[in-house]
Amino acid sequence: MHTLIVIDRLPYGDWHGREALDMAFSLAAFDRPVTLLFRGAGVNWLRPGQSADQLSQKSVERNLSAATIFGVSALLADKAALRQYRLSSDQLSQSASETDLTPAFYKQFDAVVVL
Amino acid sequence: MTRSPALSYTLVISGAPYTSQAPQSALAFAKALISGGHKLDRVFLYGDGVYLASSLVTPPSDEVNWTQLWSEFLMQTRTPAVACIASALRRGILDSAEQTRYEQPASNIAEPFEMAGLGDWVEATMTSSRILYFLPTD
Amino acid sequence: MPTLHIINKAPDHPRFPACLRALAEDDTLVLIENAVMALVFESLPLPPCYALRADVNARALSESSVTGVKMIGYAGLVVLTETHQRVMNW
């Protein structure tokens, strides 16, 4: 059973993304296959050079860098949203595969979770 | 009409009461699934959904107390209900064990809610036939 | 596998178009909570779908019958989760 966890909200403005990431890490900790998708505004999680010290928040970039170490199978990024937010896949803070969000894409996963 | 065999459900609530419709939609759905002959395995509160487990919720007298309605339903149906411990502690929802551990002045989790980790949710993804998420509205 | 998509976001929320794009031919869409506003939202390519009656009535949309939209109650929603093994919440 492979789960897709989707982050589609901007980083720092709320806690949805961090709590979605916790779900992904928990699945991985129990050896459940899990993939992370950054969709829509969520692709900004992958913008390089984040520095959240002045917000007294932990950089989500640092949280994310642990994803594959913790056993998250893959990081995927919404291809159209990367263009919309002027991000190119070779400059992202974490390596993530550009993905077309077709109905067939979602059907590859047994469960899809977004907060 | 032939009915499909009974299914087991986990309901995850991640929208807060009075901020979203999530707890009320989830309660209506929970009652309907039981009337439909199915089993409610558990309710899992996550993110802002943990506010539903605060025993201090005190709405004006002409508004529904969603915590109280949920508590009554959970006790009547003997349904296990869990608030994610990480979400809950951040938002000031504590049971007496966490109150002691963090030396806080009070605990406030409403009966019959309990605290547990995301491991309970992971288990639900493996054991319940259906998981439904009742999400924030915004 | 046919998927049941349940959306509670208003039609002008970014998740609404994302949900519509994810719908496959054999999937089913249900509008609940704020999503029922899609019944009257201008120029939205709303596919045939279901809408939760309680949310429709609360928002005074009961008269705005839209072709291809069927009203259901919570029991009807439970039946849809019986017939679809895969459920996605939006």
Side-chain angles (χ1 to χ4, degrees):
Chain A
M1 160 132 173
H2 196 143
T3 304
L4 178 72
I5 301 281
V6 182
I7 294 180
D8 69 352
R9 301 182 193 249
L10 293 164
Y12 306 108
D14 63 49
W15 254 250
H16 288 103
R18 290 183 193 276
E19 294 191 314
L21 197 59
D22 285 345
M23 292 176 125
F25 286 172
S26 288
L27 288 167
F30 287 93
D31 293 321
R32 312 309 300 171
V34 57
T35 293
L36 261 177
L37 166 69
F38 297 90
R39 183 175 67 204
V43 295
N44 290 289
W45 275 65
L46 300 166
R47 190 175 290 281
Q50 297 169 34
S51 151
D53 308 358
Q54 292 169 68
L55 299 180
S56 304
Q57 284 192 37
K58 280 190 277 185
S59 154
V60 299
E61 206 176 326
R62 210 170 309 154
N63 287 28
L64 266 190
S65 61
T68 44
I69 301 164
F70 284 150
V72 173
S73 311
L75 303 189
L76 308 176
D78 172 351
K79 192 173 171 184
L82 286 175
R83 243 192 337 268
Q84 192 178 17
Y85 285 98
R86 299 174 199 276
L87 286 163
S88 67
S89 57
D90 54 6
Q91 53 140 192
L92 301 177
S93 66
Q94 316 294 324
S95 97
S97 311
E98 286 194 23
T99 307
D100 276 319
L101 302 182
T102 61
F105 162 76
Y106 290 105
K107 299 257 177 181
Q108 301 169 68
F109 302 93
D110 302 293
V112 180
V113 177
V114 62
L115 288 179
Chain B
M1 194 178 113
T2 50
R3 285 207 70 88
S4 50
L7 300 171
S8 63
Y9 289 73
T10 289
L11 305 186
V12 178
I13 301 176
S14 71
Y18 312 106
T19 301
S20 78
Q21 250 185 284
Q24 46 196 111
S25 296
L27 184 57
F29 185 83
K31 288 177 175 171
L33 81 86
I34 288 172
S35 301
H38 301 295
K39 181 171 180 287
L40 181 53
D41 277 340
R42 87 191 81 200
V43 174
F44 190 84
L45 308 182
Y46 195 61
D48 286 348
V50 300
Y51 288 121
L52 184 62
S54 168
S55 61
L56 300 177
V57 164
T58 314
S61 58
D62 60 346
E63 275 185 35
V64 166
N65 184 326
W66 290 105
T67 301
Q68 194 186 324
L69 280 192
W70 259 109
S71 290
E72 285 165 9
F73 170 80
L74 293 167
M75 289 196 266
Q76 278 161 14
T77 56
R78 297 172 189 277
T79 303
V82 159
C84 168
I85 191 161
S87 296
L89 289 177
R90 266 188 196 121
R91 292 170 175 83
I93 310 291
L94 281 77
D95 64 6
S96 55
E98 300 306 315
Q99 179 201 347
T100 308
R101 186 199 316 259
Y102 292 99
E103 299 177 358
Q104 292 285 17
S107 65
N108 61 341
I109 195 162
E111 276 195 282
F113 290 98
E114 291 179 8
M115 310 269 259
L118 271 170
D120 269 39
W121 167 75
V122 174
E123 191 198 304
T125 66
M126 295 186 273
T127 54
S128 287
S129 3
R130 300 285 185 278
I131 302 197
L132 268 76
Y133 294 81
F134 291 87
L135 302 171
T137 324
D138 57 356
Chain C
M1 188 186 297
T3 301
L4 179 67
H5 298 263
I6 303 173
I7 182 161
N8 75 335
K9 303 294 183 292
D12 60 354
H13 191 284
R15 209 167 284 177
F16 213 98
C19 171
L20 294 184
R21 271 198 302 275
L23 283 179
E25 293 260 334
D26 56 350
D27 288 353
T28 304
L29 174 66
V30 184
L31 312 173
I32 70 166
E33 302 179 1
N34 283 354
V36 300
M37 294 313 299
L39 267 55
V40 291
F41 202 69
E42 206 179 12
S43 70
L44 188 80
L46 195 63
C49 62
Y50 296 87
L52 201 56
R53 193 178 293 114
D55 286 313
V56 168
N57 289 341
R59 291 164 179 80
L61 304 176
S62 43
E63 300 307 313
S64 42
S65 57
V66 179
T67 330
V69 180
K70 296 192 190 94
M71 298 297 153
I72 52 168
Y74 292 99
L77 183 55
V78 170
V79 171
L80 288 175
T81 65
E82 291 169 5
T83 52
H84 293 77
Q85 271 189 52
R86 198 165 172 274
V87 180
M88 278 170 70
N89 292 98
W90 293 82

